[in-house]
Amino acid sequence: MTKTAVREQITHRWYTRPVLFVADVNRALRFYIDMLGFEKTWHEGDGAGGVCQVDRAGCEIILCEDATRRDKARLFVALNVDGLTAFRREIVERSVPSEKSWWGYDVIKIVDPDGNELLFPAAE
């Protein structure tokens, strides 16, 4: 890696927020808030619009209502050991449907109402 590339890597931090397309933003909000423990941080049109953002511990996701979009997303969420232990407990307590899956290693897969997949490491 060149000296310029190293400097750019250190001085330019990229900030990302995935956009997940959903058929009904309010249904998606209920899932992300009630089932996964996110909080709504903004909602277009004072809550009446089709785009909003949910956050949890620095994980920010934009939900965009667009019934014409049929594509699905896959989001990998890395957690430290304590976070993973707590999250596993939460999905059991909230009866969040999940399954064991494989994505290069064992993961816990949670699928939202629109088919978007959230993958969490299964091993502690």
Side-chain angles (χ1 to χ4, degrees):
M1 190 179 291
T2 68
K3 191 181 243 184
T4 302
V6 169
R7 190 174 326 115
E8 183 175 325
Q9 183 180 19
I10 294 169
T11 60
H12 300 292
R13 185 150 276 207
W14 290 26
Y15 169 67
T16 62
R17 291 179 293 171
V19 176
L20 303 183
F21 291 101
V22 299
D24 181 328
V25 75
N26 290 311
R27 178 186 70 181
L29 272 171
R30 285 190 303 274
F31 178 81
Y32 282 88
I33 293 169
D34 298 341
M35 300 297 280
L36 299 183
F38 280 80
E39 294 181 12
K40 180 172 73 169
T41 55
W42 59 263
H43 196 148
E44 170 197 31
D46 293 325
V51 180
C52 65
Q53 180 173 307
V54 293
D55 295 358
R56 178 167 178 175
C59 177
E60 301 175 332
I61 300 172
I62 296 174
L63 302 172
C64 180
E65 185 173 315
D66 187 342
T68 65
R69 296 287 298 253
R70 300 279 184 240
D71 41 343
K72 308 298 178 227
R74 177 177 287 158
L75 176 65
F76 182 80
V77 181
L79 300 171
N80 64 25
V81 174
D82 293 337
L84 181 57
T85 300
F87 185 66
R88 283 178 166 177
R89 188 171 41 251
E90 285 180 39
I91 62 176
V92 168
E93 290 170 357
R94 293 180 177 162
S95 300
V96 178
S98 64
E99 64 183 79
K100 292 181 181 178
S101 190
W102 177 259
W103 196 56
Y105 51 86
D106 291 328
V107 294
I108 300 166
K109 180 168 73 171
I110 296 174
V111 181
D112 78 7
D114 294 281
N116 296 299
E117 299 176 348
L118 286 84
L119 303 178
F120 299 86
E124 293 183 20

